Amino acid sequence: MRIATLNIRHGGGTRVSAILRYLPTLDADVLILTEFRSGATGSAIRSNLAAQGYSLQAHSSNDPSVNAVLMASRIGGSVVKVRAGPPGFEHCLTVARFRDLSICACYFPQGERKRPVFDQLIGLTKELQPLGLVLGDLNTGLPFQDEAGRTFKCVDAFQALLRANLVDSWRVRHPDAREFSWRSTHGNGFRIDHALATGGFNGQISTVEYDHTSRELGITDHSALLVASDG
C-alpha cells in the first residue's frame, strides 16, 4: 500500500496542469492533497483523479478561499469524518479508514492558530489505534532538527502529539538525517510535512521518503512525502 501527501499551494492555481502530470508519478493508493481548494481548479483535480481510479474522494471545505485537505483513494474505504477539526478549523482534519488502517489527513494553520488543531488531533489519536497514520502539512517540527534554528510555534503541542502513542516514521528511519520539505524565499529549510504512525502501523511501514521533484521543478513549493507499507 502506498500513501502520499503533497501540499499543492493555494489550490494549485496556474500550476494545476503540472500538478496533474506529476501526481501519477507518486503511484499512490491513497493520496492526500493539502492546501486543496474547491472551485474550478479543485473540480479539475478531482475529475482528473476520478479518471485515474480514485473513486473515493473527500474534501474538507467547499469554500474556494479556504486551504483544506482532499483525500482520494483508488482502493476503496470509508470516510469517518470529513470535517474533523475543532470549531473554526473544521477543514484542517479529515479522517478515513482503509481496510484496517485509519488515516487522519492534516493541514495546519500558521503560528499559534494551530494550537486548537493540535489539541483536537491529540484527542483523536485514540481513535486511530491500533493501526493509524497522521499525514500531511503540520506546519511544525522540532527546532534544530527539522529546521536550522528555533522558529517553530507550538513545538510543545507537536511534542505532546508525539507522546500520544505516535511515531515520527521518517525520523526513526533517518535519525541523523537533515532533510526539508519546504524552503522559504531566503532558502531556509523546514521539515513540516510529516507521517506520524501508531506503533502498530509503524511496524508495517517499509519506507518513508520525500520526493523533492515537485519543489525543485516549481510544481509546488513543497516536496511530496510517500509512505509504503507491507500491510
Side-chain angles (χ1 to χ4, degrees):
M1 183 177 184
R2 287 174 60 85
I3 311 161
T5 184
L6 177 68
N7 181 312
I8 61 174
R9 190 180 183 184
H10 302 321
T14 58
R15 297 169 285 105
V16 166
S17 294
I19 291 169
L20 292 177
R21 288 193 297 271
Y22 170 72
L23 291 179
T25 69
L26 300 176
D27 191 27
D29 298 304
V30 179
L31 180 64
I32 294 167
L33 301 182
T34 59
E35 292 200 29
F36 174 85
R37 292 185 175 185
S38 296
T41 54
S43 294
I45 291 171
R46 293 186 62 206
S47 295
N48 183 278
L49 291 177
Q52 294 179 45
Y54 291 89
S55 56
L56 176 67
Q57 298 186 13
H59 60 289
S60 60
S61 176
N62 291 318
D63 185 341
S65 67
V66 170
N67 287 331
V69 295
L70 169 70
M71 188 184 294
S73 171
R74 63 185 185 186
I75 60 172
S78 60
V79 178
V80 177
K81 191 171 184 181
V82 176
R83 293 166 57 82
F89 300 96
E90 292 89 348
H91 61 281
C92 292
L93 305 174
T94 293
V95 180
R97 189 170 182 83
F98 305 93
R99 300 170 183 162
D100 295 328
L101 175 65
S102 295
I103 298 179
C104 182
C106 304
Y107 174 71
F108 276 51
Q110 300 283 344
E112 286 291 332
R113 296 176 67 244
K114 59 195 167 190
R115 188 170 295 278
V117 185
F118 270 116
D119 292 341
Q120 180 84 349
L121 182 54
I122 290 170
L124 288 172
T125 55
K126 292 181 180 179
E127 300 177 24
L128 301 179
Q129 299 289 341
L131 301 178
L133 180 67
V134 173
L135 189 67
D137 181 358
L138 276 67
N139 268 317
T140 319
L142 297 179
F144 309 114
Q145 294 184 42
D146 301 321
E147 62 169 334
R150 191 183 185 91
T151 67
F152 285 129
K153 302 292 185 182
C154 298
V155 172
D156 61 320
F158 183 71
Q159 292 171 322
L161 182 62
L162 293 176
R163 290 193 298 270
N165 296 314
L166 292 178
V167 177
D168 183 341
S169 294
W170 183 87
R171 177 59 67 191
V172 298
R173 289 165 175 79
H174 308 84
D176 301 317
R178 181 71 66 85
E179 196 165 355
F180 304 123
S181 62
W182 181 82
R183 288 188 179 274
S184 71
T185 55
H186 299 291
N188 299 320
F190 302 86
R191 190 172 73 96
I192 56 179
D193 300 271
H194 296 282
L196 310 180
T198 61
F201 184 60
N202 186 62
Q204 295 184 10
I205 293 175
S206 53
T207 59
V208 185
E209 302 292 346
Y210 291 95
D211 181 1
H212 302 295
T213 305
S214 56
R215 179 173 54 81
E216 293 171 347
L217 295 182
I219 296 169
T220 181
D221 58 346
H222 282 244
S223 302
L225 176 58
L226 297 94
V227 177
S229 78
D230 300 323

